[in-house]
Amino acid sequence: MIDFEKTLMPWIGKSRKLIDYFFIDRISQHGIELTKVQWILLMKLKERNGEPQHNLAFLTNRDKASLTRLLTTMESKNLVARIPEESDHRINNIYITSHGEKILKQSMPIVNQMIDEMQEGLTEEEKELAVNVLKKIIDNIKLKDISCS
């Protein structure tokens, strides 16, 4: 019988959950109301502002329904705006608002500090190895032809 605690699965799951809690705790200590997922979406929009909504689902590894809910929440916080495509009103392009840019800018030093704290004591080689192992796991799962949304 396999010793589950000696496999990577529970440790990846625990790490993800702790990172989510760590993110919310540190960000809220600075008076910013933002989840990790919202922050990631703001980062994607900073890189690719005006991206069609259906592309963002792919870029953020979210299904369309959960992305729609996320965008609705972020719109209510004035972080993003959905603007219909002029040539096809069925397509919404998503833009980061000036308030969203302000929040992203305020959060960057906090996130950088969190990253430093999480990686404290790790050598560059250990960080590179961990990233490569996680990428390999992701590739292995994607090879199984499952829905990764």
Side-chain angles (χ1 to χ4, degrees):
M1 184 169 175
I2 191 164
D3 185 352
F4 190 62
E5 288 296 311
K6 290 186 179 178
T7 69
L8 293 175
M9 192 176 345
W11 298 104
I12 291 170
K14 290 174 187 179
S15 298
R16 181 187 167 274
K17 190 177 248 184
L18 279 173
I19 290 168
D20 288 349
Y21 291 144
F22 186 54
F23 185 95
I24 289 169
D25 180 63
R26 290 301 166 90
I27 287 289
S28 65
Q29 284 179 13
H30 291 84
I32 300 171
E33 189 180 319
L34 197 67
T35 66
K36 186 182 78 175
V37 174
Q38 291 169 350
W39 184 83
I40 290 169
L41 186 59
L42 289 176
M43 286 293 293
K44 292 292 183 190
L45 288 173
K46 187 70 177 163
E47 297 167 7
R48 300 171 75 147
N49 206 21
E51 193 71 29
Q53 185 170 332
H54 60 274
N55 288 2
L56 283 176
F58 173 75
L59 290 172
T60 59
N61 291 320
R62 300 187 71 78
D63 62 74
K64 291 178 185 179
S66 69
L67 179 65
T68 299
R69 287 190 303 274
L70 175 63
L71 290 172
T72 299
T73 300
M74 292 178 74
E75 261 187 321
S76 71
K77 292 179 173 186
N78 191 28
L79 298 170
V80 300
R82 283 185 252 213
I83 300 176
E85 179 74 40
E86 283 187 28
S87 61
D88 185 348
H89 289 290
R90 296 172 297 174
I91 298 173
N92 285 317
N93 295 322
I94 312 302
Y95 293 87
I96 187 170
T97 63
S98 58
H99 179 65
E101 287 184 3
K102 177 184 161 200
I103 295 296
L104 185 60
K105 186 176 182 180
Q106 286 177 337
S107 69
M108 287 307 296
I110 302 162
V111 173
N112 287 333
Q113 176 67 32
M114 282 188 279
I115 291 168
D116 288 345
E117 289 178 44
M118 287 188 309
Q119 296 180 160
E120 188 175 328
L122 298 176
T123 66
E124 288 302 316
E125 294 79 21
E126 288 171 324
K127 288 186 277 187
E128 185 177 333
L129 178 62
V131 167
N132 288 334
V133 167
L134 292 171
K135 283 180 178 179
K136 202 175 275 189
I137 291 169
I138 289 167
D139 288 344
N140 288 343
I141 292 170
K142 285 182 176 178
L143 286 174
K144 302 303 177 214
D145 205 27
I146 63 160
S147 172
C148 290
S149 52

